Amino acid sequence: MRLHRLDLTAFGPFGGTQSVDFDELSAAGLFLLHGPTGAGKTSVLDAVCYALYGSVPGARQSGQGATLRSDHAAAGIRTEVRLDLTVAGRRLEVTRQPPFERPKRRGTGTTVDKAQSGLREYDAAAGAWKDLSRSHQEIGEEITQLLGMSREQFCQVVLLPQGDFARFLRADAEARGKLLGRLFDTRRFAEVEKRLADRRRGAEARVREGDAALLADAHRMQQAAGDVMELPEAAPGEPGLAEAVLGAAAVARSTAREQLTIADRWLAAAESAHAAAERDLADTRELHRLQHRYAETRRRAARLAERADAHREAQERRERARRAETVAPALELRDATDTEHRRAATAETHARARLPQTLADAGADALATAARRAAEDLGALEPARRAERRLTALLAERDTLDRQDGSDEDLRHDAESWLDDWERTRAGLQARVDTALTAVTQAEQLAALREPAQRRLRAARDRDRLTADAEEARRSVLTAAEEAATARDHWLDLKEQRLRGIAAELAAHLTEGRPCAVCGATEHPAPARKDAGHIDRDAEEHALDASRRADAARAAAAQHEATVRTALAAATEEAGDTPTAELAERAAALEGRHARARALASGLHAAQEELRRAEAEREQRVEARQQAAVRAAARVGTRDRLERELATLEEELTRARAGADSVAERAGRLERRAALLTEAADAVRMAEDTARRLKDADARLADAAFRAGFDTPVEAAAALLDDTAHRELQRRLDDWQHEEAAVRAALAEQDAAEAARRPEADLPAAERAVADAARRLREAASARDDAARRCAELDRLSARATEAVRRLAPLREEYTRVARLAALAAGTSADNERRMRLESYVLAARLEQVAAAATARLRQMSSGRYTLVHSDDRAGRGRSGLGLHVVDAWTGRERDTATLSGGETFFASLALALGLADVVTDEAGGVRLDTLFIDEGFGSLDEQTLDEVLDVLDSLRERDRSVGIVSHVADLRRRVHAQLEVVKGRSGSTLRQRGAD
């Protein structure tokens, strides 16, 4: 990487635009970047880093916006850094602009423009620059890829910070590891350590989980074995746990099988006893059943004898009911006919009550004839009914025409009233629009005058404030000048007094026999003596310090006065001589006029919209008035037709109504009369028919009762039974017969008779014996089931434990292997003698390369005295690998780098930085670094060492490198001819460049 040109605008301490031609500076191979403290030497390096990576080095990297911007820059100038460089054989130009807070183009206040970046490449064939990207992310990735270094590596390798490497020399292994880890990006090795540790924890967790499950099965086996199994005391993850669990399980299974054999023998004995008790109970139950049955049969025979008379009466009742059933159809027919006759007589009475008096006693034929005449009259009214419905529709149509006429008349009246005021309305709305347009123009004109008036007002207020400040500053300058003169006079007086008594001060240091520092004599016969008012060196220097402080206060007061007067001149130039109150009054009046004009202008859109709506409404109302007139003319002919048809229908309907209010009313009357007459005729015929059928039913009933053997029909009806009573009577007779047969059969049984002659059976005692035998059988079966279940559970759990142990075997092997590797990589294993972590091991190799590369330059800088060596001795928490020692050729001993003096530390750290730059460059893929910067540290070197260090730096030209030294050491200005000077000024710093002579 070679830098060609750097352009800065409003960056850091540089208020304007400054440029650096690195090609001219690099021609000599070694150039000096110098300037007073605080001028901005480091800001040049910050600009290079910011152009490449979009951020500045170290603690300053948080300044990505306003903090990068120069306080000396004008408000309208944007901060920008542009760097021209060659990297990886490509000529590139990077441009960076941080976020920029600028005044708004319209109105007051500020707005923030986003950060911008640009990357261009020079096309040698075309002889022109071509754009590559404007994306921050793409540019950052491209630069990082080309350089092969991150921002931290670049700042450590190209912008060599000597303070960091001095700390590196004195740092412990952990601090060195952090720096080297950033430079060589050994995160992948730390990630390997982490992944091994994670795999170890994961494998350990799986083994512990498997052991925990195995112990859980062991606890279950202990519960199944009845606590006769002893559990191992090992915890999950400890060796030997699996073998202990399997051994305990084998013992438990053997014990459970012995218990199962004992339970089998007990169960067989219990089953035999229970079978014998069951047989005894069955015999006792049979005897008890026969005895009880015979006794019960004797009781049933006695009850049958008591009910014999009732049985005979029931048989006679059933016989009479059978004879009465032959009369039942005649009885039912007579009852149904009587019911129909009474219902028909009632209907006839009701029908005749609603007839006219003239027809109240008429027969059925007369009533039917009157009904036919009423129906004929009703049919003749059908045309009149249609005419009446037509009349109703015509009247509704005429009412609709009347409503439409009224609505159109109201519409025409409303439209004509509105149109009469149209011209006045339009004129008023147009006047509002014109007024608003005038206000818009006036507001724009006043807006252009507001900002200048406000600026003049602000300047006038600053002018008034700065006038008072300038007078106060002038008085402060006069006071400080008087105090400085007084202090200087006091110092000069004391100095003169001390010179007058200097002989006594020199005499105080005389010793007999030693030469005088002034005359060289060894004898001092009459040395001068100090008087009471003698002024010594301390008093003089105290007065000199007071004089210098007073002079500095005077200079500061003068600088403050100049600053205030400069600001006052600028404010006066802006505001002029016009009084502030007058400018404020003008600005307020202008603000009020502008506000009023804006208020009037704000109504322009509303006025235009209202005028447009009024014009549209006028067109609608004119159209509506015309349409209403057309509709009214069309309705005149329709109304004449309706009136003629209405007159004809009224005449026809007057004849058809025959005195009724309407044809429908007369038709209703005829319909009701015909219905009443028809109903009455039907009722009379029904009553006459049911009377005849009732007489025939009475005759048939009397004949049927006589043939069935009953004296009267009433007697036959009383003998009848309904279905429920008949079924109940038959059930009683059947029950008696069945009971009688069953008693005879039971009394004839020989077994029951013999059982009755035997002693009474003791059933409760036999049942108690069976219950006791069943209880003993259940206890034996439960014990046998428990033993069998215990054996089965132990077999199942043992098989599962054996399978779990088999599955855990590979996991245990993996855990052992991974744990060994993780401990070895972490430096905690006994096999790792030096307890060196994997990342530290890699970094130690890199540090060894750095020490070898740095030693070549350190020997030249120290005239062959010092050599840097890498040490892997243990240090800090017992770890090792990142020690750095220096070998002193004068003493032949190796010691820690922290014992070097200040100057020795500087050139040792410089050699280390250059060696590290070479190693990191090779690590980054061989990217060539043609431009390096070394920041400060040369002030601690003596003249000879400084020459040797410069010779080493000058030798870098052999690799076609240019080195920039950042220092304010005055002696370097004579030794290094190519220089870039940073000049500090009141309005910001500037750059002054000089090439080699």
Side-chain angles (χ1 to χ4, degrees):
M1 181 198 73
R2 177 177 295 279
L3 305 182
H4 298 294
R5 183 178 180 85
L6 175 67
D7 295 322
L8 310 174
T9 301
F11 183 86
F14 304 104
T17 299
Q18 304 293 323
S19 298
V20 180
D21 187 351
F22 285 109
D23 287 336
E24 180 183 0
L25 293 173
S26 301
L30 190 66
F31 64 90
L32 176 66
L33 174 58
H34 68 93
T37 301
K41 300 185 297 296
T42 306
S43 295
V44 176
L45 308 185
D46 290 347
V48 174
C49 183
Y50 179 67
L52 293 174
Y53 294 96
S55 61
V56 295
R60 301 185 298 279
Q61 63 181 302
S62 60
Q64 294 300 315
T67 55
L68 294 180
R69 180 171 176 78
S70 175
D71 295 333
H72 303 284
I77 298 177
R78 180 162 189 171
T79 301
E80 181 181 89
V81 176
R82 180 181 288 110
L83 178 64
D84 182 4
L85 74 159
T86 297
V87 58
R90 299 170 61 184
R91 182 75 175 267
L92 302 176
E93 181 186 80
V94 187
T95 303
R96 301 276 190 180
Q97 293 179 345
F100 177 45
E101 184 177 4
R102 59 171 178 78
K104 293 183 178 178
R105 295 186 177 90
R106 294 184 179 179
T108 58
T110 60
T111 185
V112 178
D113 290 340
K114 295 181 179 179
Q116 297 183 8
S117 300
L119 178 64
R120 299 196 304 170
E121 182 176 5
Y122 184 74
D123 188 351
W129 292 91
K130 62 178 180 180
D131 293 331
L132 296 182
S133 176
R134 292 189 176 275
S135 168
H136 303 300
Q137 183 178 0
E138 290 179 359
I139 295 174
E141 293 175 354
E142 181 73 14
I143 293 297
T144 302
Q145 183 177 2
L146 289 174
L147 291 177
M149 292 181 286
S150 64
R151 179 179 60 82
E152 291 78 7
Q153 290 176 313
F154 178 84
C155 295
Q156 204 75 33
V157 173
V158 179
L159 311 179
L160 302 179
Q162 293 306 302
D164 285 355
F165 284 97
R167 286 191 297 272
F168 183 81
L169 283 173
R170 296 186 174 91
D172 56 13
E174 183 176 0
R176 287 195 183 110
K178 290 181 180 178
L179 175 61
L180 294 174
R182 290 198 305 269
L183 292 179
F184 293 105
D185 192 14
T186 57
R187 289 174 297 178
R188 60 188 183 277
F189 299 102
E191 185 64 23
V192 169
E193 295 179 26
K194 180 177 179 298
R195 291 193 63 181
L196 284 173
D198 291 342
R199 287 192 60 184
R200 179 191 61 77
R201 286 191 293 269
E204 182 181 8
R206 290 193 296 274
V207 170
R208 286 182 177 274
E209 182 180 353
D211 285 349
L214 186 61
L215 277 177
D217 286 342
H219 281 285
R220 295 188 184 96
M221 285 189 283
Q222 185 185 41
Q223 293 174 357
D227 295 332
V228 299
M229 173 180 172
E230 295 184 1
L231 294 179
E233 298 180 357
E238 294 184 5
L241 175 65
E243 292 77 5
V245 169
L246 294 180
V251 173
R253 289 200 310 276
S254 177
T255 303
R257 290 191 181 94
E258 293 176 359
Q259 294 175 349
L260 178 60
T261 302
I262 296 173
D264 285 337
R265 290 196 294 269
W266 182 23
L267 178 61
E271 288 176 345
S272 177
H274 181 264
E278 286 282 355
R279 288 193 297 272
D280 291 344
L281 176 62
D283 295 341
T284 303
R285 282 176 176 170
E286 181 62 18
L287 178 60
H288 179 269
R289 184 185 67 80
L290 292 174
Q291 290 175 345
H292 177 73
R293 180 176 179 180
Y294 187 80
E296 181 64 23
T297 301
R298 300 293 298 178
R299 288 192 293 272
R300 289 164 62 189
R303 287 195 296 271
L304 285 175
E306 293 174 356
R307 293 185 299 170
D309 293 339
H311 176 64
R312 286 191 295 272
E313 290 177 1
Q315 288 178 330
E316 293 175 357
R317 180 77 178 87
R318 182 180 62 182
E319 181 61 26
R320 293 182 64 200
R322 286 176 180 173
R323 288 187 288 110
E325 287 178 357
T326 60
V327 186
L331 282 172
E332 292 176 357
L333 177 61
R334 197 271 174 189
D335 290 341
T337 304
D338 183 60
T339 300
E340 290 180 0
H341 176 65
R342 284 196 299 271
R343 188 183 301 114
T346 301
E348 179 186 6
T349 302
H350 290 166
R352 287 185 180 277
R354 290 180 291 172
L355 293 176
Q357 187 64 31
T358 57
L359 299 174
D361 298 328
D365 294 338
L367 293 174
T369 302
R372 285 195 298 274
R373 285 197 300 269
E376 291 173 358
D377 293 341
L378 179 61
L381 284 179
E382 185 59 30
R385 296 174 73 176
R386 289 195 298 272
E388 190 172 47
R389 288 194 295 272
R390 175 59 180 166
L391 177 64
T392 302
L394 292 176
L395 291 174
E397 186 175 356
R398 186 175 65 181
D399 292 341
T400 301
L401 291 177
D402 293 340
R403 287 193 300 272
Q404 291 176 349
D405 285 341
S407 178
D408 286 342
E409 181 62 26
D410 293 341
L411 182 60
R412 286 198 303 271
H413 179 73
D414 184 49
E416 289 173 353
S417 299
W418 191 90
L419 291 172
D420 290 342
D421 295 335
W422 162 245
E423 291 300 330
R424 184 172 63 259
T425 301
R426 186 190 63 78
L429 293 175
Q430 187 62 48
R432 284 179 56 191
V433 172
D434 295 341
T435 301
L437 287 172
T438 302
V440 169
T441 303
Q442 186 178 5
E444 293 176 352
Q445 295 172 350
L446 293 174
L449 299 176
R450 286 174 63 232
E451 183 59 28
Q454 291 294 335
R455 285 200 303 271
R456 288 195 65 190
L457 177 59
R458 288 194 295 270
R461 289 171 177 165
D462 292 343
R463 178 196 62 196
D464 297 343
R465 176 179 54 79
L466 291 172
T467 299
D469 292 347
E471 181 60 27
E472 180 65 24
R474 186 186 65 80
R475 290 194 295 269
S476 298
V477 169
L478 293 177
T479 302
E482 292 175 358
E483 292 176 352
T486 301
R488 182 174 179 80
D489 292 343
H490 177 64
W491 167 62
L492 293 175
D493 289 342
L494 291 180
K495 183 176 184 179
E496 185 177 357
Q497 295 177 28
R498 180 176 177 241
L499 290 176
R500 285 198 299 268
I502 194 67
E505 186 174 341
L506 293 174
H509 299 284
L510 293 177
T511 303
E512 190 68 30
R514 292 185 179 181
C516 174
V518 178
C519 64
T522 57
E523 296 181 358
H524 318 292
R529 304 295 180 184
K530 295 181 180 179
D531 55 18
H534 178 74
I535 303 299
D536 58 8
R537 183 182 183 86
D538 291 339
E540 179 190 354
E541 290 181 351
H542 181 71
L544 177 60
D545 291 340
S547 175
R548 288 174 177 173
R549 288 194 299 272
D551 192 59
R554 178 196 58 76
Q559 183 177 2
H560 175 65
E561 181 189 18
T563 302
V564 172
R565 291 196 177 279
T566 301
L568 176 60
T572 303
E573 182 180 359
E574 177 71 24
D577 298 332
T578 306
T580 304
E582 181 178 348
L583 291 176
E585 184 177 354
R586 292 178 185 175
L590 185 61
E591 195 70 29
R593 291 173 58 195
H594 179 259
R596 288 191 296 275
R598 285 190 61 187
L600 290 174
S602 64
L604 174 61
H605 179 70
Q608 290 175 336
E609 284 295 314
E610 190 171 355
L611 177 59
R612 183 187 60 76
R613 288 195 299 270
E615 291 175 345
E617 184 176 0
R618 174 183 174 276
E619 294 177 358
Q620 293 174 358
R621 288 184 179 272
V622 170
E623 179 67 20
R625 183 178 62 180
Q626 294 174 354
Q627 293 295 330
V630 171
R631 289 194 298 269
R635 285 193 295 270
V636 172
T638 303
R639 184 180 294 278
D640 292 343
R641 178 183 57 78
L642 287 176
E643 293 296 339
R644 290 193 300 272
E645 189 173 357
L646 282 171
T648 303
L649 290 176
E650 284 290 350
E651 182 179 355
E652 179 182 349
L653 290 174
T654 300
R655 292 192 300 270
R657 291 187 187 108
D661 292 338
S662 66
V663 174
E665 182 182 351
R666 187 183 177 203
R669 292 176 183 176
L670 290 174
E671 287 176 354
R672 288 191 296 275
R673 179 180 177 83
L676 288 174
L677 290 172
T678 301
E679 182 182 357
D682 293 340
V684 170
R685 290 192 184 96
M686 180 60 70
E688 293 174 351
D689 181 63
T690 56
R692 286 192 301 271
R693 287 190 287 114
L694 179 60
K695 184 178 180 180
D696 294 341
D698 286 338
R700 284 195 296 271
L701 176 59
D703 183 63
F706 177 77
R707 284 196 299 270
F710 294 100
D711 295 337
T712 62
V714 175
E715 185 178 352
L720 279 174
L721 293 175
D722 57 15
D723 292 341
T724 302
H726 186 274
R727 286 194 299 272
E728 179 62 23
L729 179 61
Q730 185 64 43
R731 183 189 63 77
R732 292 204 306 270
L733 292 173
D734 294 341
D735 289 346
W736 198 92
Q737 291 177 354
H738 293 160
E739 180 69 8
E740 184 184 21
V743 168
R744 284 198 303 270
L747 290 176
E749 291 180 355
Q750 187 66 29
D751 292 342
E754 293 178 358
R757 290 191 292 272
R758 294 176 60 186
E760 187 177 357
D762 191 358
L763 184 61
E767 289 177 345
R768 286 195 298 273
V770 170
D772 291 341
R775 176 178 55 78
R776 290 191 294 272
L777 177 61
R778 286 194 300 272
E779 290 175 354
S782 178
R784 196 271 176 192
D785 291 342
D786 289 344
R789 184 168 54 254
R790 188 178 300 113
C791 286
E793 184 68 9
L794 286 174
D795 290 341
R796 184 182 66 83
L797 292 174
S798 296
R800 190 165 75 176
T802 303
E803 177 63 21
V805 170
R806 185 187 63 78
R807 289 198 310 268
L808 279 174
L811 290 178
R812 292 184 190 278
E813 294 177 2
E814 180 186 1
Y815 167 63
T816 302
R817 182 174 61 257
V818 172
R820 182 172 176 273
L821 286 175
L824 189 64
T828 59
S829 171
D831 297 333
N832 192 334
E833 297 179 357
R834 296 189 177 277
R835 302 188 66 185
M836 187 184 298
R837 293 172 52 239
L838 176 62
E839 184 181 14
S840 300
Y841 176 77
V842 176
L843 292 177
R846 293 290 186 266
L847 183 59
E848 190 172 3
Q849 295 174 357
V850 171
T855 295
R857 297 183 175 88
L858 180 58
R859 286 177 178 172
Q860 183 176 356
M861 293 181 188
S862 62
S863 300
R865 178 179 180 182
Y866 293 118
T867 301
L868 280 176
V869 295
H870 162 252
S871 171
D872 56 2
D873 293 336
R874 292 188 178 185
R877 294 184 297 177
R879 302 299 178 91
S880 62
L882 296 178
L884 193 63
H885 291 175
V886 61
V887 177
D888 190 343
W890 290 3
T891 63
R893 300 188 64 181
E894 179 179 327
R895 54 192 172 97
D896 194 274
T897 54
T899 62
L900 295 173
S901 64
E904 293 169 341
T905 298
F906 167 70
F907 60 69
S909 62
L910 176 59
L912 182 65
L914 294 174
L916 185 62
D918 292 339
V919 175
V920 172
T921 300
D922 296 338
E923 177 71 13
V927 176
R928 186 177 181 82
L929 301 178
D930 297 320
T931 306
L932 299 177
F933 295 91
I934 301 175
D935 189 359
E936 288 298 346
F938 294 88
S940 61
L941 303 179
D942 56 55
E943 184 174 356
Q944 180 181 355
T945 305
L946 181 59
D947 288 337
E948 293 171 347
V949 169
L950 291 179
D951 289 341
V952 171
L953 295 179
D954 193 53
S955 67
L956 294 176
R957 286 186 295 177
E958 298 175 1
R959 301 180 64 180
D960 197 21
R961 283 182 175 178
S962 61
V963 179
I965 299 174
V966 183
S967 178
H968 52 69
V969 176
D971 194 31
L972 288 173
R973 301 177 195 173
R974 295 184 293 99
R975 299 169 180 265
V976 181
H977 302 290
Q979 299 179 7
L980 178 63
E981 182 181 5
V982 184
V983 181
K984 181 168 61 174
R986 188 181 300 275
S987 59
S989 298
T990 57
L991 296 175
R992 193 158 53 200
Q993 182 171 330
R994 186 181 70 183
D997 295 334

